[in-house]
Amino acid sequence: MLAQDTLKHFRLFCDPFVDDVRSAEDVFMTNEYRYVLASMRHAAQAQGIVAVVADSGAGKTTMRRMLMDELRRDGKTTVIMPSIIDKTRITAAGLCEAIIADISDENPKRSLEAKARQVERLLRDASRSGQKHVMVIEEAHDLTIPTLRYLKRFWELEDGFTKLLGIVLIGQTELGLKLQEHRNSQARELIRRCITVDLRPLDDDLESYLNYKLERVGSSLPKVIEPQAVEAIRQRLRRKDKGQVVSDLYPLAINNLVVRALNAAAELGDERVTTEIVKHV
């Protein structure tokens, strides 16, 4: 976090990089992020299947919150979220119980067959009254292949031509690997129907991102960070992996590096973050 002395030094009334997202207006949206959010929204409202894949700290949870906020305000789509922490332990019965708990006051039936019929009835009745449903699963990279196969069966629930359940999977890069058919042909039925979208790094939007965050707290990028230092931040968050340049310019990594640089600049008494500071924090 930014030290109190750092906030005073740069005349910031609050930390723009830690616990900074309190509403949709606080979220910096690139065209990439808008596309991802639109893909999630379409899966929820048109009852499709989408997987959002990105490294830790890329903003996946923020996108999920944006989606849920939109759906809550719209009121036409109910979100179902299995709450089990260990996603490797999710079963078909557990998914049924999550659906029943989130869309009704009924107690789950005992047998899996009875639970499945109960789920189909509840979703069908709600659909006929105009209500849509989407199941959102975070940490979906931990899902087992059998569970992915179960999800396809849930997605197949329908009332005539009307699908009864959309599915949004949110996970780290391992989820993208798991959804490659040549790796997991057993789950090909879901994989072939699932649209995978990636949250890419903010390489081309770094300056805009930093300025947006700082303007939200009454400052601006030129007042706090030198132009050359911004490029230094970009280079610090790139690395080589097997001969390829890999970018880690995701919001969390950017925030952490900039916070360290601001604290260091304040300690040194510098008016702005310099290239040398970025290189050494």
Side-chain angles (χ1 to χ4, degrees):
M1 297 178 62
L2 290 180
Q4 288 296 317
D5 288 343
T6 303
L7 293 172
K8 293 178 182 178
H9 181 78
F10 289 105
R11 296 177 176 83
L12 303 174
F13 61 82
C14 70
D15 193 326
F17 300 109
V18 176
D19 196 23
D20 54 308
V21 178
R22 302 294 183 89
S23 68
E25 288 72 27
D26 293 324
V27 180
F28 175 76
M29 295 293 287
T30 64
N31 289 334
E32 186 79 20
Y33 279 42
R34 291 187 184 94
Y35 174 77
V36 171
L37 182 58
S39 298
M40 298 168 73
R41 187 190 305 118
H42 182 267
Q45 296 176 340
Q47 314 291 253
I49 309 176
V50 67
V52 179
V53 177
D55 274 332
S56 176
K60 300 185 297 296
T61 297
T62 300
M63 289 295 99
R64 189 263 299 165
R65 289 171 178 163
M66 292 278 287
L67 173 69
M68 293 182 67
D69 185 61
E70 284 190 12
L71 296 179
R72 177 185 57 78
R73 285 187 280 108
D74 180 64
K76 297 178 181 179
T77 306
T78 300
V79 176
I80 299 160
M81 287 191 68
S83 58
I84 183 170
I85 295 174
D86 185 357
K87 297 300 190 296
T88 63
R89 299 173 66 87
I90 287 182
T91 62
L95 292 173
C96 285
E97 290 168 2
I99 295 171
I100 295 166
D102 283 352
I103 71 174
S104 79
D105 295 323
E106 296 183 10
N107 292 320
K109 304 295 184 182
R110 289 193 175 185
S111 70
L112 180 57
E113 170 70 17
K115 284 187 179 76
R117 289 179 181 273
Q118 185 179 12
V119 164
E120 185 170 9
R121 171 179 56 79
L122 289 169
L123 290 174
R124 183 182 62 246
D125 291 348
S127 176
R128 289 179 179 178
S129 68
Q131 191 69 15
K132 298 178 181 294
H133 297 86
V134 59
M135 180 181 289
V136 179
I137 302 179
E138 286 198 284
E139 306 299 330
H141 50 273
D142 286 335
L143 294 175
T144 64
I145 297 304
T147 300
L148 290 175
R149 295 172 66 185
Y150 295 147
L151 285 173
K152 191 258 183 179
R153 304 290 185 266
F154 282 98
W155 177 75
E156 287 178 328
L157 294 174
E158 58 189 24
D159 184 21
F161 288 103
T162 303
K163 292 288 184 184
L164 300 180
L165 184 67
I167 296 174
V168 175
L169 304 176
I170 303 171
Q172 296 182 19
T173 50
E174 295 89 337
L175 176 61
L177 299 176
K178 194 167 285 188
L179 292 175
Q180 293 178 0
E181 187 174 342
H182 70 277
R183 293 175 181 268
N184 293 302
S185 59
Q186 313 97 302
R188 61 184 176 276
E189 291 182 328
L190 177 128
I191 292 170
R192 291 176 182 178
R193 292 163 175 81
C194 179
I195 297 173
T196 300
V197 293
D198 299 304
L199 270 177
R200 298 196 179 106
L202 296 172
D203 292 72
D204 298 330
D205 296 288
L206 177 59
E207 289 88 351
S208 298
Y209 172 76
L210 291 173
N211 196 55
Y212 184 85
K213 289 297 183 185
L214 289 164
E215 284 186 344
R216 296 289 294 171
V217 294
S219 186
S220 67
L221 181 59
K223 291 180 181 178
V224 175
I225 304 175
E226 292 183 352
Q228 300 88 338
V230 176
E231 182 58 29
I233 292 169
R234 183 179 278 111
Q235 295 306 319
R236 273 290 306 272
L237 294 175
R238 287 174 175 166
R239 56 188 168 83
K240 284 194 173 181
D241 183 19
K242 299 178 181 178
Q244 300 287 328
V245 176
V246 178
S247 173
D248 292 322
L249 281 153
Y250 293 112
L252 182 61
I254 296 170
N255 293 353
N256 289 342
L257 178 58
V258 172
V259 165
R260 294 199 302 272
L262 289 171
N263 282 333
E267 282 189 32
L268 293 170
D270 290 356
E271 291 185 1
R272 296 190 293 175
V273 171
T274 65
T275 300
E276 286 303 309
I277 289 173
V278 172
K279 288 180 177 179
H280 291 94
V281 293

